[in-house]
Every structure is written in structure tokens, then in C-alpha cells.
Amino acid sequence: MITKEQFEKELDLIIANAIREDIGDGDHSSLACIPVNATGKAKLLVKEDGIIAGVEMAKRIFKYVDKDLKVETLINDGAKVSYGDIVFYVEGSSQSILKSERLVLNVMQRMSAIAKKTKEFAKLLEGTKTKVLDTRKTTPGIRALEKWAVVIGGGENHRFALYDMIMLKDNHIDFCGGVSKAILKTQQYLKDHNLDLKIIVEARSIEEIKEILAVGGVHRILIDNFDYDGTREAVKIIGDKCQTESSGGINLETARKYAECGVDYISSGALTHSVYNMDLSLKAVE
């Protein structure tokens, strides 16, 4: 996984680019009618039940726009919220609050939706050893936010990107000329370049699983698009030789059954690519 420092840089880049995109050469709506020295207060209002996420990110945004803005937090990331709840108050320059408003809402609405979806998966898996993972099926440019939201919702992060873990999938294997060849070439590559990266290999059949185990040196086997019986067989064959992960169209209806097959992880792109933004608003306090 990427380091905390790298993750922090990703967040800073997201904020800087989003502010550039939204404000450009100035928030002329506010500049036109709000005095530069005017101050005000606003509240983050919840308009539907769910899990709140993005509070800490909102604080970063406010600080980036205006370090003098003050935030009073009433509800923290990961908490259940209901219609009518107030998550925080922000106070200071009225122009600065208005500059921040849309980015804060966009971020929190998206993150809260992902956290809620992840919490639903995590709850389904309670009582099993299986953890839910996200994927790289994220919105371009804001992956760090979406993966952060997964953690807030009770899930775990898979690799962040192509550079922090080796994942040999079907196309890698086919282009390379077979699963054994792909693993051996990868292991040599890591050695030649003095890289310490974990290797995950996708298996499309029991035969490929046996071949992967015969080569060895793999951190996790991705049991991809197997049915329940096939997954149980795969887990039995793999045993404690390496970690196991199920993937391939797994949703809220099927997640528990895959977990009961004994896999260590379930990965689901649905955590980040199939959510509807939570309804939140930032309202001026009279």
C-alpha cells in the first residue's frame, strides 16, 4: 500500500485541482454581492439517513480556502446519521464559506454514499473471517477520497494503484504466455529492480490454482468468477499456503455466501462505482 505521506499528497492534489476547476479567476457571484469583510456561519445539514463521511476532508478544504475559517464538529466520520442532523458548523468569511461550499458537498455526498455501501457489505460479513476490499474501479482523480470512504465504512483498501502491488490478471497471464511464466518473470523483475511488492495472481480454474501453488512465492490468489462450490474447493486446495480473495460481480445478495466459502477477502467494485450520492446541504445560519 502507499505510504501515509503519499496519501496526504493525493488529498492535497485533489483539493488544489478541484478549487482550480471550480473557482478559476474568482467566485464572481459572491464577489458581486457579498462584502469582502462580511462574516457568517453555516451548518452541514443531513437530509437522509446514512453513514457520514468526509468530515475531516471538509476541514482540509476549509483550511485550504481560508485558514481562518473555524469548524465546530458535532458528528464524526463513520457515525450513523438521520434526517435533520447537523454534522458541523463553519464560521468566518462569508466569501470563503461560499467558495468552499460546493467542493465540500460534492466530497461529502460521494464519500458518505460509499461509506454507507461499505457498511452494508461489512455488516453482511459479520461472524465470518472475510473482509471486504475495494478495487481500482474508482472515479478518476478522486481515488484517495473513495478509498478513504471505504475505510470509514468498515472495509479495507486493496492496492491503491498500479505501482504499490503486483496483480497478475487474465490479460497479463495470456500476454505473457501462461500463469507459471508470468509469476516467474515477475519474481525475477522484482529481484532485478530491488522492489518489495506483494504478488496477487488471478486464477480462472482449479488447474490454474494448482499451477500457481506449484510455482509458489505468491501473496494471494484471486479466485475470480468461481461459483460457490468451486470457491469452496479452491479454498480447501489453497489452505494456508497464501491468502484467498473472491471477486467477479459480487454484490450484497451474494457476498455472505462467498464469505461462508472461507475466503479471506471479497473485493467488490460496487463499493465505489454503484452508489448514489447522499443528500446533504450547507445552509447559512441566521
Side-chain angles (χ1 to χ4, degrees):
M1 297 300 297
I2 66 171
T3 65
K4 186 177 185 297
E5 290 73 23
Q6 286 176 297
F7 191 80
E8 296 286 329
K9 287 180 181 178
E10 290 290 335
L11 297 179
D12 290 340
L13 285 169
I14 289 170
I15 295 172
N17 190 50
I19 292 296
R20 174 204 59 78
E21 177 183 62
D22 202 36
I23 296 177
D25 66 352
D27 172 13
H28 297 300
S29 302
S30 298
L31 291 169
C33 65
I34 306 295
V36 67
N37 59 349
T39 59
K41 187 175 184 179
K43 61 185 177 182
L44 195 288
L45 184 64
V46 176
K47 301 177 74 175
E48 65 174 287
D49 296 353
I51 303 293
I52 201 70
V55 176
E56 291 304 314
M57 185 63 179
K59 292 178 184 178
R60 294 176 74 107
I61 294 167
F62 287 130
K63 185 176 181 180
Y64 180 92
V65 171
D66 183 346
K67 63 180 177 59
D68 292 324
L69 288 176
K70 300 292 188 294
V71 179
E72 178 190 358
T73 305
L74 305 181
I75 302 175
N76 292 312
D77 283 327
K80 290 183 179 180
V81 289
S82 302
Y83 180 90
D85 283 345
I86 297 172
V87 178
F88 61 70
Y89 291 100
V90 58
E91 189 170 7
S93 165
S94 298
Q95 287 194 4
S96 296
I97 293 172
L98 290 166
K99 284 180 184 178
S100 310
E101 177 184 5
R102 178 43 51 195
L103 178 54
V104 165
L105 288 173
N106 286 351
V107 163
M108 293 193 66
Q109 287 173 324
R110 182 70 179 170
M111 290 182 70
S112 296
I114 291 169
K116 180 182 178 181
K117 185 87 165 188
T118 306
K119 182 65 73 176
E120 291 172 349
F121 269 89
K123 190 168 183 62
L124 278 173
L125 301 182
E126 287 179 357
T128 74
K129 71 172 185 176
T130 309
K131 304 298 183 184
V132 64
L133 294 170
D134 52 24
T135 69
R136 282 171 51 241
K137 296 175 182 177
T138 54
T139 307
I142 61 168
R143 179 174 293 171
L145 297 183
E146 296 187 341
K147 283 184 169 284
W148 188 1
V150 166
V151 174
I152 291 171
E156 295 186 11
N157 292 148
H158 211 302
R159 60 176 176 167
F160 186 83
L162 293 172
Y163 56 77
D164 61 323
M165 185 180 285
I166 296 285
M167 193 165 180
L168 302 177
K169 294 177 68 67
D170 53 355
N171 283 338
H172 299 96
I173 292 166
D174 290 341
F175 280 141
C176 188
V179 67
S180 295
K181 188 175 181 181
I183 296 170
L184 291 169
K185 285 178 69 68
T186 296
Q187 290 171 341
Q188 188 60 50
Y189 171 87
L190 294 176
K191 183 178 179 181
D192 292 344
H193 292 81
N194 195 30
L195 292 172
D196 182 20
L197 298 176
K198 293 175 180 176
I199 302 173
I200 297 178
V201 183
E202 178 182 305
R204 295 166 287 188
S205 66
I206 294 296
E207 290 69 30
E208 280 195 339
I209 287 175
K210 292 177 179 178
E211 189 175 348
I212 293 166
L213 293 174
V215 176
V218 168
H219 175 68
R220 187 187 306 159
I221 294 178
L222 180 59
I223 307 167
D224 191 55
N225 285 301
F226 279 50
D227 60 19
Y228 304 130
D229 289 339
T231 302
R232 280 190 287 270
E233 183 181 358
V235 168
K236 185 177 180 180
I237 291 170
I238 295 167
D240 60 359
K241 299 179 182 70
C242 66
Q243 293 182 353
T244 54
E245 174 187 341
S246 280
S247 70
I250 298 175
N251 54 38
L252 289 169
E253 287 69 45
T254 60
R256 177 77 188 194
K257 291 181 179 179
Y258 276 104
E260 289 172 346
C261 293
V263 293
D264 297 306
Y265 298 100
I266 286 172
S267 54
S268 176
L271 298 181
T272 52
H273 71 50
S274 297
V275 296
Y276 295 94
N277 283 4
M278 186 174 174
D279 194 1
L280 303 169
S281 65
L282 192 68
K283 293 294 185 182
V285 176
E286 298 294 336

